[in-house]
Each structure stands twice: as structure tokens, then as C-alpha cells.
Amino acid sequence: MENKVKELCDAASSAINAVTDLKALDDIRVKFLGKKGEMTTLVKVMNELSADEKPRVGKIINDARNQIKTLIDDKKAELKAQELQNKLASEKIDVTLPGRKIYRGHLHPLTLTLNRVKEIFMNMGYSVEEGPEVETDYFNFEALNLPKDHPARDMQDSFYITEEILLRTQTSPVQARTMQKNSDNAPIRMIAPGRVYRRDDYDASHSPMFTQVEGLVVDEGITFADLKGTLDFFCKKIFGDTAQIRLRPSFFPFTEPSTEVDVSCMMCHGTDEHCKVCHGSGWLEILGAGMVHPDVLSMSGYDPSKVSGFAFGMGIERIAMLTYGIDDLRYFFENDIRFLQQF
Ligand code: PHE
């Protein structure tokens, strides 16, 4: 009997030694110590022994069981430690490798410029109005004193959708929309930013889609001096205190008199005949403006004998090009990250 126990002990011990994974170890546990395991079967054989032999052999078997159990527990701990080591080794990361840079997005240069323009006018008490990009012929032309056969319609080659509907060629229709919305003929001080569309070829200074900001002020006693003062103030805010403006006579069907406004060159201040920005002239055209035509006021329900107004319209791309020193309009629309990252 003792020999049998020793044999089993040795067999268990060498099997445990040889085992390399937890599953196989558990199989060994079941084989020797389980309910039908070999050690358990030995206990049953004990019944055949004499009463005085039973305690001695019982102790031997118990000791052997305990011994095997200890061996299994130790092996189990060893295998678990091994498993952890393997896991750590296979999941090892090199903490000295530089991390991947996360790029933060930011506002587009046109949005930055537009926000700046809006802020300047909002600080002067202007409201911000909006109008649709798909506009009616009536608001885009007719309500602005450009009847159907008016030759000035040729000035802006338009994207027509139907005979009566087109992509707006300017933000000026928002002038008429705002006046007509004010059924009580309240005074107006508003700007209207937005996209406009013209059938232009796409090159360094033209794009079939660009951004304008319209301005309209209507009240009693508004004069050309108010227009000039407002635009002078705006230019000094956006281009710096040394900026000056110059007004040239011009023509727009919806303003009378009309003017084109130049700002003094912020690159060379008129001192460099080879200046890339103003080409030596010292002046840069930045917007169109004028006193609202009496017919435009009356068509939208305001009485030109009681109120007067001024209006202006500027291109945001142009202002962004001047403030950031950009010489090609297309950069704004091509989403080249090397360009956009600079703002
Ligand atoms: N709408 C004109 C343009 O697009 C600009 C303008 C606006 C002129 C308001 C006068 C008054 O060229």
C-alpha cells in the first residue's frame, strides 16, 4: 500500500513538473485528487485494512494528498506568474517613441475676417441680417432699380435657375428684404454678410462664388458725410489707424450718388513704385457705396421725402487678401492644409 502511494506521488510529481499550462495542470488535479481520482480510489481500498493499520495508512495517504495539492498550488502560482510575464512582454510599449501630434482645427481665414468685420459694425449698433442665396429676380435686380431691360444687368453675368430665380449676384437684395420686412418703416442700421455667385472664370482675382458684406442705414437726415465717416472709421479699425480712404465717383443703379472707395496701401503707404499690392498707385479699391436711390426706398415702402440712407457692399476675400498679404484668391477655396495652418 505504501508503495502504491509513493508510486502515485511520484507520478503526480513528475506530471506536475512537466506541465506547461493551467488547463493541463487542472487535468492532473482531477486525475489524482478529483472525486474519481486515483488518490480517492485509494481511500476506498482502506476499508479492507485492519483497524490498527487504518490510522497509519490513512495518515500516509493524507500526507500524500497534501503533498500533491501543495505541488499543484505551487505550480499554479508559477504558471500564472509566467502567463503575466508573457502578457507584459507581448504588450510592451516603447514609451520613448514620440507621440502622434494632434492637430487642432481653427477658423478659416475668411471666417476670421468676416467675424472681424461683423464685430466692428455690431459695436456701432448694426444688426446682422440674412437673405437667401437662391434669390428671386425681383429682389436681386428689380427692387434695386434694375428693371428687366436695364443695361446694368449685363454688369453681372448671373447663374439663372429659372427666368425668375437665380443665385444672387450680390448681397444688395437683403437691403430690399430688410426694408420690406420693416412694415412700420423703422430706422435701419444693418449689415448682411453672405455668399454671392457670378459667372466669372476662376483665377487669381476671380471666383464664381465669393463673400460680400452689405451695409444699409436708413433714417431721417442721413447724409453722404455719415457714409464717409462710417467707412473711414471702419477702414481704420480693420486696416489700422494710419489707413486713409479716398472716394471716386462711380455708378450703381440702386445708389445716387455712387462711389467706389479706395483705402491707402497698408504695405507701402504709397512709397514703393514696385509694391506688389498697390502696384505703386498707393491706393486699393475695397468697396462700392452710395446714397440709397429714392426709387429703391419707395419701392420698399419708405418715403424718400422723409428719410434717406446710405448703402455699401464689400468683398470679404479682398479684405482678407489685403490684411493677410495673400496674392491669390484661390488659396481660400482649395483647402490646402499648409495654407490654412498659417492663420
Ligand atoms: N452690390 C454692389 C456690388 O456687388 C456693391 C454695392 C452695394 C454698391 C451697396 C453700392 C451700394 O458691386
Side-chain angles (χ1 to χ4, degrees), residues 316-331:
I316 290 301
E317 284 78 5
R318 177 110 177 113
I319 291 180
M321 285 168 87
L322 294 175
T323 49
Y324 292 124
I326 296 162
D327 60 9
D328 192 323
L329 181 69
R330 289 169 291 194
Y331 285 124

Side-chain angles (χ1 to χ4, degrees), residues 156 169-170 172 175 198 212 214-215 252 254-255 288-290 311-313:
Q156 297 163 337
T169 59
Q170 48 187 355
S172 302
Q175 287 188 35
R198 293 182 194 176
Q212 281 190 334
E214 192 79 9
F252 299 101
F254 34 92
T255 48
F312 56 85

